[in-house]
Each structure stands twice: as structure tokens, then as C-alpha cells.
């Protein structure tokens, strides 16, 4: 089953895809970009038809062809009214904005979506590592992991039961980090992250909360 937030993002960009005159015009516009669609079809695990549908929905929601961070935050927060999704949406936006130009294009969107929905376990873990590696230096620090996990709890708000104590995120990070940082050098490399996630059943179960919002 796709992660919950991926269903949210799909709904955001595809909710307007109905059998209407406007949709047919958008589909025609997509057909006028055969080279781009063919390239994306080769680079992703989406079919040409799926890419046309995604493109149509993306253009309906983002007529300019790109979505900026403020718009992304506004849309994302609608699905978590019980909490504060702004910080997590910021981290998620950065993960989709692979060229770090302050906007997410259709190409950025479908490349990330393809990994999250249809990628291998290795590809998904690579993507997750990139999300947690906030400053993109190739390592995850304890503070970076804490920032991400705190943002998730902030977003979930009152949905968590029993109600979480203020120190709960840090306690969880201490457990995760101790297991992942095998050589005790204070940072988690991508190899440590992937190896730990793939081989520790308890961590995978514990991280299910985070998989639902990645």
C-alpha cells in the first residue's frame, strides 16, 4: 500500500482529473510534449498514460508548471488540521526539490513519486536517507534525525494516542541512533542506515509511523 502522504500528494495533484473539456485540453497539451514524456517514461516506473494523467492533474493544481514551498505547505497542512505540518512539509519539499532551486517541477514530482510508490526497498531507503540528511552532507546526525521526528509528531498533533510526552521524540531518536551508528562516530552513513533498516525488524516496525508520512 502506498505511504499515506503519497496518497495525499496524488490527491492534491490529480483531484481535478475528470472527464471534462478542460481535461481534454490538458491531455492534448501533454501529448504535445512527446519527447519529455518518453524521457520520463524511461526514467520512471510510470506508463505513458499514467504520466499524462499525473501531468494533467499537476497542471490543474499548478498552472505555472512548478509548485513553490509556500504553496506546498498550504496544501499539505489541509490534511493535518489537528497539528502543525509546516516543518515536515518543508523537509519533504526539500527532498522533492532535488536541484534545490526553490521549486518542484513536474519532473521532480514524478521522479520522487516513482521511487516512493514503485521503487525497490533500496531506492526507498536511499530516498528516506536523503530526507533525514537535512544539510545534504552525506551523513545523518542525531540532531537532524530529531528535527525530522519532532516535525512528524508536530504534524500528527492530537492524533497520537496515548498523548506523547515532550521528551518522547528524543527518546525514540536515542534508540534509533544507537542502533544505526554502528561505529559510534556520531553520524549515520547511508550504508549504516540501509543496513540497519533492512536487518532490524524492530526498527522497521518502529519506523512504520514515519513510513506513513514520508
Amino acid at each position: 500500500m502506498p505511504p499515506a502522504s503519497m496518497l495525499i500528494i496524488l490527491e492534491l495533484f490529480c483531484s481535478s482529473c475528470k472527464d471534462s473539456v478542460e481535461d481534454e485540453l490538458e491531455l492534448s497539451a501533454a501529448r504535445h510534449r512527446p519527447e519529455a514524456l518518453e524521457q520520463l517514461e524511461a526514467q520512471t516506473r510510470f506508463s505513458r498514460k499514467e504520466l499524462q494523467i499525473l501531468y494533467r492533474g499537476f497542471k490543474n493544481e499548478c498552472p505555472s508548471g512548478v509548485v513553490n514551498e509556500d504553496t506546498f505547505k498550504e496544501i499539505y497542512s489541509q490534511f493535518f488540521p489537528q497539528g502543525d505540518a509546516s516543518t515536515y512539509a518543508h523537509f519533504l519539499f526539500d527532498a522533492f526539490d532535488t536541484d534545490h532551486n526553490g521549486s518542484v517541477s513536474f519532473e521532480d514530482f514524478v521522479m520522487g513519486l516513482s521511487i516512493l510508490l514503485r521503487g525497490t526497498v533500496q531506492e526507498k531507503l536511499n530516498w528516506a536517507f536523503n530526507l533525514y540528511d537535512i544539510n545534504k552532507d552525506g551523513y545523518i546526525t542525531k540532531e537532524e534525525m530529531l528535527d525530522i521526528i519532532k516535525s512528524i509528531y508536530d504534524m500528527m498533533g492530537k492524533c497520537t494516542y496515548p498523548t506523547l510526552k515532550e521528551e518522547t521524540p528524543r527518546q525514540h531518536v536515542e534508540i534509533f541512533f544507537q542502533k544505526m551508528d554502528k561505529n559510534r562516530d556520531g553520524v549515520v552513513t547511508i550504508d549504516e542506515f540501509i543496513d540497519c533498516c533492512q536487518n532490524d525488524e524492530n526498527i522497521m516496525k518502529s519506523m512504520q509511523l514515519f513510513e506513513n508520512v514520508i
Side-chain angles (χ1 to χ4, degrees):
M1 180 176 294
S5 70
M6 291 306 99
L7 294 177
I8 290 171
I9 293 172
L10 279 171
E11 183 174 345
L12 296 183
F13 293 111
C14 300
S15 59
S16 300
C17 295
K18 300 176 182 177
D19 294 329
S20 65
V21 173
E22 290 79 10
D23 287 336
E24 291 305 315
L25 289 174
E26 289 292 342
L27 184 55
S28 296
R31 285 174 177 157
H32 288 315
R33 302 179 60 201
E35 293 182 2
L37 285 177
E38 286 176 3
Q39 184 176 4
L40 285 174
E41 188 177 1
Q43 294 174 337
T44 69
R45 291 180 171 87
F46 294 121
S47 68
R48 184 182 182 86
K49 181 65 174 178
E50 288 171 327
L51 287 168
Q52 288 174 334
I53 292 171
L54 287 169
Y55 178 73
R56 184 168 57 188
F58 190 92
K59 288 288 286 183
N60 281 336
E61 292 294 330
C62 310
S64 66
V66 297
V67 57
N68 61 33
E69 184 174 337
D70 288 341
T71 301
F72 190 87
K73 285 180 178 179
E74 288 174 11
I75 299 174
Y76 208 82
S77 65
Q78 296 173 19
F79 292 87
F80 298 94
Q82 74 286 346
D84 180 2
S86 60
T87 303
Y88 182 74
H90 164 73
F91 294 138
L92 189 63
F93 181 88
D94 278 351
F96 273 98
D97 180 17
T98 54
D99 53 7
H100 309 297
N101 65 353
S103 62
V104 172
S105 66
F106 177 68
E107 289 77 10
D108 294 331
F109 172 64
V110 294
M111 292 291 285
L113 203 62
S114 175
I115 292 172
L116 290 166
L117 295 182
R118 297 177 182 174
T120 63
V121 171
Q122 179 91 11
E123 288 171 336
K124 290 177 181 179
L125 288 175
N126 280 331
W127 199 94
F129 181 89
N130 181 61
L131 174 69
Y132 281 84
D133 178 17
I134 295 174
N135 67 359
K136 312 306 179 196
D137 65 351
Y139 302 95
I140 299 174
T141 65
K142 190 178 293 185
E143 288 307 310
E144 284 177 320
M145 187 177 288
L146 180 61
D147 285 345
I148 295 287
I149 291 180
K150 281 177 64 178
S151 73
I152 291 171
Y153 284 128
D154 288 344
M155 179 173 65
M156 299 304 292
K158 298 177 182 179
C159 281
T160 55
Y161 181 83
T163 303
L164 296 171
K165 297 179 181 179
E166 186 175 347
E167 65 271 19
T168 299
R170 185 170 290 277
Q171 290 172 347
H172 285 180
V173 167
E174 290 293 340
I175 294 170
F176 293 149
F177 206 86
Q178 185 175 7
K179 290 184 177 182
M180 291 182 177
D181 183 18
K182 293 183 178 180
N183 62 359
R184 302 293 184 264
D185 64 352
V187 295
V188 172
T189 65
I190 190 165
D191 289 337
E192 288 175 323
F193 181 83
I194 291 175
D195 183 66
C196 188
C197 289
Q198 286 182 325
N199 294 292
D200 193 309
E201 184 178 353
N202 291 327
I203 284 185
M204 292 302 284
K205 288 181 179 178
S206 297
M207 292 185 72
Q208 186 172 5
L209 167 65
F210 311 131
E211 290 173 1
N212 286 338
V213 292
I214 285 177

